[in-house]
């Protein structure tokens, strides 16, 4: 990969991004001790790309699946983060780490470890921004 220029997130030509920023994320993934296989590396890359693609406010009020639970364990409907961008994030991780097999279902509420991980990131951001909120 060249040192400077642009790349298309997940191969999507409408999502042109800076290569150097991406290389920095890959360097961060490479030094994580918790990442001992492609599946974990892909999951962590998805999380880092999610934080790059969406600001904290978007992450706080939305999530990956469109549902969440409040402190009383009741389901709450949330707006999904842009599914085109989320699908591109998954695609990018699959391209970078061939052993990463989790997928993002554009429709429905299917879950996997990466979707749960990304929803947890949204939940953590939600509590960072609104620590007194119950949702």
């Amino acid at each position: 990969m060249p040192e400077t220029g642009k790349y298309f997130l997940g191969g999507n030509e409408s999502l042109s991004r800076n290569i150097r920023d991406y290389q920095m994320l890959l360097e961060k993934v490479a030094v994580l001790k918790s990442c001992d296989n492609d599946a974990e590396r892909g999951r962590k890359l998805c999380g880092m790309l999610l934080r790059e693609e969406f600001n904290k406010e978007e992450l706080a009020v939305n999530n990956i699946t469109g549902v969440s639970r409040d402190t009383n364990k009741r389901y709450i409907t949330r707006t999904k983060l842009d599914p085109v961008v989320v699908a591109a994030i998954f695609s990018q991780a699959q391209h970078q780490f061939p052993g990463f097999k989790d997928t993002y279902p554009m429709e429905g509420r299917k879950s996997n470890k990466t979707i749960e991980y990304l929803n947890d990131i949204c939940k953590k951001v939600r509590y960072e921004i609104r620590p007194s909120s119950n949702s």
Side-chain angles (χ1 to χ4, degrees):
M1 191 177 280
E3 291 291 319
T4 61
K6 301 285 182 183
Y7 76 100
F8 300 129
L9 180 65
N12 187 327
E13 293 183 12
S14 67
L15 300 173
S16 177
R17 303 296 186 257
N18 184 311
I19 286 178
R20 187 64 197 134
D21 293 342
Y22 181 66
Q23 289 172 329
M24 289 172 52
L25 293 178
L26 291 178
E27 290 169 11
K28 288 179 183 179
V29 169
V31 298
L32 291 173
K33 292 186 185 348
S34 64
C35 295
D36 58 355
N37 59 49
D38 274 3
E40 284 298 319
R41 285 187 281 274
R43 191 167 296 121
K44 295 297 183 180
L45 179 60
C46 283
M48 290 177 185
L49 287 169
L50 185 79
R51 288 179 182 267
E52 288 287 316
E53 292 298 315
F54 300 100
N55 63 45
K56 284 189 172 191
E57 290 74 22
E58 288 176 295
L59 293 173
V61 297
N62 306 307
N63 74 6
I64 303 300
T65 57
V67 293
S68 146
R69 290 185 186 233
D70 65 11
T71 54
N72 296 319
K73 304 293 183 199
R74 291 181 300 214
Y75 282 105
I76 297 172
T77 302
R78 296 202 176 277
T79 305
K80 281 185 172 185
L81 291 165
D82 185 341
V84 172
V85 175
V86 176
I89 288 170
F90 272 76
S91 179
Q92 187 67 39
Q94 290 164 345
H95 175 74
Q96 188 68 45
F97 301 108
F100 175 70
K101 303 293 185 196
D102 286 357
T103 59
Y104 174 67
M106 294 292 277
E107 298 294 326
R109 287 181 29 192
K110 294 179 183 171
S111 189
N112 56 48
K113 286 183 179 182
T114 304
I115 288 173
E116 291 170 10
Y117 175 66
L118 298 180
N119 271 341
D120 283 346
I121 289 173
C122 294
K123 185 178 190 179
K124 286 176 186 171
V125 170
R126 191 174 311 124
Y127 287 118
E128 287 172 11
I129 289 179
R130 299 181 302 185
S132 62
S133 174
N134 289 335
S135 57

